[in-house]
């Protein structure tokens, strides 16, 4: 499963960096580590990891800001970001997903459980890769293979989950999906996130492409408009 997959670990605790590096390399992953968010962003630019394990509580620049900066890098548009944190407050989880996180795990870290989660993410990602397929709706073009969203002549940089959410809805125009349906199809059954995470991602998609494509069905969920 690991193949040539690359993982970046960003945490200010040396013991955690050593623990995760050891377990990840034992699984066959290529691993780099950074002890703070600023260095994490710099390493990510050149290493271009498939997955980033990112601590929230770090001195200088916290994980939420680090995640936000990473999501602005086009080369990381397909990178998974998992937060590792001792904080369990709901607002911390919401802030994490608002800034582009794909998953959220609390400390203390259990290496076996973490490896299982990472392997599951990569399995699901491989399964989701399909043939070259573009969706054109009016002035909007969504290219699954190129990970591109373009409206008229403007091209948008979408974080992975926002892109997958838009693409999934656009593949099923006119069909209403509940928040639970979208969580299951986009995040998977092995990732535990709040249903309001869907609302956050829908809002961010609308901020980029406008409000006319995805409708809110009050009390039910969302659907992609046919025209």
């Amino acid at each position: 499963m690991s193949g040539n997959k690359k993982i970046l670990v960003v945490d200010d605790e040396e013991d955690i960096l050593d623990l995760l590096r050891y377990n990840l390399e034992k699984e066959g992953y290529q691993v780099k580590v950074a002890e703070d968010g600023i260095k994490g962003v710099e390493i990510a630019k050149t290493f271009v990891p498939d997955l980033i394990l990112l601590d929230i509580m770090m001195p200088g620049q916290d994980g939420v800001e680090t995640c936000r900066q990473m999501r602005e890098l086009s080369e990381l548009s397909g990178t998974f970001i998992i937060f590792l944190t001792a904080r369990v407050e709901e607002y911390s989880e919401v802030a994490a997903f608002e800034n582009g996180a794909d998953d959220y795990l609390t400390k203390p870290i259990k290496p076996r459980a973490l490896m299982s989660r990472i392997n599951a993410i990569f399995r699901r990602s491989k399964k989701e890769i399909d043939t070259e397929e573009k969706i054109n709706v009016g002035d909007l073009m969504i290219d699954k293979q190129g990970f591109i969203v373009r409206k008229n002549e403007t091209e948008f940089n979408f974080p992975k989950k926002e892109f997958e959410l838009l693409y999934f809805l656009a593949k099923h125009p006119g069909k209403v999906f509940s928040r639970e349906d979208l969580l299951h199809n986009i995040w998977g059954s092995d990732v535990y996130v709040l249903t309001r995470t869907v609302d956050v991602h829908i809002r961010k998609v609308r901020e980029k492409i406008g409000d006319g494509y995805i409708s809110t069905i009050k009390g039910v969920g969302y659907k992609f408009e046919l025209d």
Side-chain angles (χ1 to χ4, degrees):
M1 174 55 61
S2 56
N4 294 316
K5 296 292 187 183
K6 298 185 289 184
I7 296 179
L8 170 63
V9 185
V10 185
D11 199 298
D12 63 320
E13 296 184 48
E14 186 176 349
D15 289 347
I16 290 179
L17 292 178
D18 291 342
L19 173 69
L20 293 179
R21 188 207 292 267
Y22 171 78
N23 283 277
L24 289 166
E25 288 181 342
K26 191 168 71 171
E27 289 285 318
Y29 293 109
Q30 299 180 49
V31 183
K32 285 189 179 294
V33 300
E35 63 271 20
D36 63 60
I38 295 173
K39 290 182 180 178
V41 173
E42 291 305 310
I43 292 173
K45 290 177 182 178
T46 55
F47 186 50
V48 191
D50 299 284
L51 185 144
I52 298 170
L53 297 174
L54 179 60
D55 185 30
I56 286 187
M57 297 296 291
M58 294 184 292
Q61 178 171 294
D62 67 16
V64 173
E65 173 60 20
T66 300
C67 182
R68 186 191 67 76
Q69 292 180 18
M70 288 174 168
R71 284 305 186 205
E72 291 180 347
L73 301 173
S74 59
E75 56 264 46
L76 300 184
S77 61
T79 298
F80 292 92
I81 297 180
I82 299 178
F83 272 127
L84 302 175
T85 179
R87 302 187 66 165
V88 295
E89 303 96 329
E90 182 178 301
Y91 75 84
S92 295
E93 183 172 350
V94 173
F97 288 114
E98 281 186 333
N99 285 277
D102 296 297
D103 203 352
Y104 184 102
L105 298 176
T106 56
K107 296 178 179 178
I109 297 166
K110 299 178 181 178
R112 185 174 297 179
L114 178 60
M115 296 307 120
S116 177
R117 179 72 62 90
I118 290 172
N119 291 336
I121 286 173
F122 284 140
R123 278 198 304 271
R124 189 168 67 248
S125 177
K126 183 177 180 180
K127 185 177 179 181
E128 288 171 353
I129 295 175
D130 49 25
T131 58
E132 291 186 37
E133 190 170 354
K134 295 181 181 179
I135 297 174
N136 292 280
V137 182
D139 55 4
L140 189 69
M141 187 278 293
I142 308 167
D143 179 358
K144 177 67 177 290
Q145 186 179 53
F147 224 83
I148 295 169
V149 178
R150 184 180 295 119
K151 183 178 179 182
N152 295 321
E153 298 302 315
T154 303
E155 190 169 302
F156 298 94
N157 179 26
F158 271 64
K160 184 176 178 62
K161 288 305 178 200
E162 289 177 29
F163 180 90
E164 290 178 350
L165 181 59
L166 174 62
Y167 184 82
F168 179 80
L169 287 169
K171 277 189 70 175
H172 305 88
K175 182 175 180 180
V176 179
F177 291 92
S178 69
R179 291 167 177 81
E180 290 76 12
D181 290 334
L182 294 172
L183 281 175
H184 176 75
N185 282 281
I186 307 304
W187 280 265
S189 58
D190 55 331
V191 177
Y192 304 99
V193 298
L194 299 171
T195 54
R196 65 187 294 183
T197 298
V198 174
D199 301 331
V200 170
H201 282 69
I202 291 289
R203 173 171 58 79
K204 287 185 168 291
V205 169
R206 286 170 170 164
E207 287 173 357
K208 293 182 176 74
I209 64 173
D211 296 335
Y213 298 97
I214 301 174
S215 294
T216 301
I217 310 303
K218 191 173 181 180
V220 181
Y222 297 98
K223 74 171 180 176
F224 193 90
E225 295 294 343
L226 289 165
D227 51 43

